[in-house]
Amino acid sequence: MAQIVLGVGASHSTLMNTHWDKVVHTERAEAFRDGLKAARDRIEQARPDVVVLVGSNHFRGFWLDLIPPFTMGVGEVVAAGDGGTPKGPQRTDPEFARALATELVNAGTEVAISARQTIDHGQAHAIQWLLDGIDVPVVPLVVNVFAPPLPTMPRVVELGANIAAAVERIGGDRRVVVVASGGLSHQLPWPSDWTDPGNEDEEFLVEAWLNGRGEWEKYDTRRREIIVAAQPTIFEEFDERFLADLEKGEMRRYAELTTEQILEVAGNGGQELRTWMTMISALGFAPGKALAYAAMPEWLTGMGVAVIEPSSAPTTGSAGAVA
């Protein structure tokens, strides 16, 4: 039968590609990059036949005219190429993707499907760094983390568990790696409520989110200016506790966090933790290993990378609220 052989979680930031020469905390940046390379080597060693790539989309493939909670690419997948990430068609496995989507729907997780899906750096950054030189097809699964109402954390955890069960039911001998791209804590200069932008920049962003389909690049220059000018807000204590709990296999305590609670403890960019929780749940809440963490104000983000081996799954979970 098909089996999940590894889980990987990694932060992304296009500023890592475009603003490396502006980095002040060089040792931190290099440590994170080394962590990505170590995770990439672990993926290669796992000999995957397919990678389920769970990530977000920053309004280059999805728009406010239609954003499902979960969308799986089951056909052509094209990377937008924003921020120096890969551009163009990506290698895919439509047969496996369609089977996975079918099994998820049958299990009660109604994923939308896309036969021509556009992904942006929310997933292409992982392809660039974690799959560098590894010739493996990807099945992108986009989670809505930026356009409320967002899928709840319990729903995300259910998604991960259903992915694990679906992989087993599909059969065959495929070796599957689940990669989560996003987080950790960060605050983006985006409107908290897209229906009520608070200034000219937010009005511009909402216009881009509404009208960017097919022409996102015409909005990109000013979007980048807004992002680069943002003041960094990183919650290092939360990030470090999150990774420590991952190493102890105590991630179930995050499974009930609300959107409002995540905003308070990890910023609006922390909503991307849903991608990590999908992967962690798919790996059975097994304890993992943090390979790197770097608070990078130059990239606006707490940058973490970790791996989980499915064989180390604990028999019981850990409950308890996150302060």
Side-chain angles (χ1 to χ4, degrees):
M1 65 180 179
Q3 60 178 326
I4 295 175
V5 295
L6 185 70
V8 178
S11 304
H12 59 241
S13 172
T14 58
L15 297 176
M16 179 177 171
N17 290 340
T18 61
H19 285 66
W20 187 274
D21 60 337
K22 302 293 194 300
V23 167
V24 175
H25 301 91
T26 306
E27 291 185 3
R28 298 184 198 176
E30 292 176 345
F32 175 72
R33 184 177 58 188
D34 290 346
L36 289 179
K37 291 178 179 177
R40 178 256 175 228
D41 291 345
R42 293 287 291 274
I43 293 173
E44 184 176 48
Q45 293 162 11
R47 296 179 290 108
D49 297 299
V50 63
V51 170
V52 176
L53 180 50
V54 188
S56 55
N57 194 287
H58 306 74
F59 299 100
R60 292 182 178 88
F62 290 81
W63 314 95
L64 290 177
D65 59 0
L66 180 63
I67 301 185
F70 311 121
T71 306
M72 180 168 288
V74 299
E76 179 183 0
V77 174
V78 178
D82 56 308
T85 55
K87 183 176 184 177
Q90 302 299 305
R91 184 183 172 194
T92 61
D93 186 341
E95 178 186 5
F96 177 82
R98 290 193 296 268
L100 182 58
T102 298
E103 291 292 343
L104 287 173
V105 171
N106 289 341
T109 299
E110 293 83 2
V111 294
I113 62 166
S114 174
R116 186 173 294 142
Q117 187 173 44
T118 297
I119 60 173
D120 65 17
H121 74 269
Q123 293 175 309
H125 193 271
I127 293 173
Q128 177 183 12
W129 291 95
L130 296 178
L131 303 183
D132 181 30
I134 303 175
D135 186 20
V136 61
V138 296
V139 176
L141 177 57
V142 175
V143 179
N144 172 27
V145 302
F146 292 130
L150 307 181
T152 66
M153 194 67 88
R155 186 69 166 155
V156 165
V157 169
E158 179 184 66
L159 169 64
N162 284 344
I163 288 173
V167 166
E168 291 187 2
R169 287 195 299 269
I170 288 173
D173 58 358
R174 287 184 179 88
R175 296 171 62 83
V176 181
V177 170
V178 181
V179 171
S181 179
L184 298 172
S185 73
H186 56 297
Q187 183 71 25
L188 297 169
W190 288 4
S192 57
D193 180 357
W194 60 267
T195 68
D196 186 26
N199 55 49
E200 289 186 1
D201 283 345
E202 293 187 358
E203 289 175 357
F204 170 81
L205 289 172
V206 171
E207 178 188 347
W209 299 350
L210 280 169
N211 302 318
R213 186 177 295 280
E215 52 182 5
W216 65 265
E217 289 173 299
K218 86 172 190 178
Y219 296 98
D220 207 47
T221 298
R222 184 171 173 189
R223 278 179 49 136
R224 297 288 294 173
E225 291 172 350
I226 293 171
I227 293 295
V228 171
Q231 293 298 310
T233 303
I234 301 172
F235 300 78
E236 291 185 53
E237 183 177 342
F238 171 84
D239 292 342
E240 291 170 353
R241 184 167 72 245
F242 183 88
L243 292 174
D245 287 340
L246 181 145
E247 291 198 322
K248 293 182 289 187
E250 296 181 355
M251 298 304 292
R252 292 186 188 274
R253 65 181 57 191
Y254 298 85
E256 299 293 333
L257 284 178
T258 66
T259 296
E260 293 73 23
Q261 288 171 329
I262 294 172
L263 178 64
E264 181 179 351
V265 300
N268 60 9
Q271 305 297 348
E272 288 182 327
L273 293 174
R274 286 169 171 80
T275 68
W276 283 66
M277 290 299 290
T278 301
M279 178 274 293
I280 290 165
S281 178
L283 272 290
F285 288 91
K289 175 65 176 177
L291 300 179
Y293 174 72
M296 291 298 301
E298 300 96 324
W299 302 341
L300 305 179
T301 304
M303 308 290 289
V305 56
V307 296
I308 300 177
E309 301 279 356
S311 60
S312 56
T315 56
T316 59
S318 175
V322 177

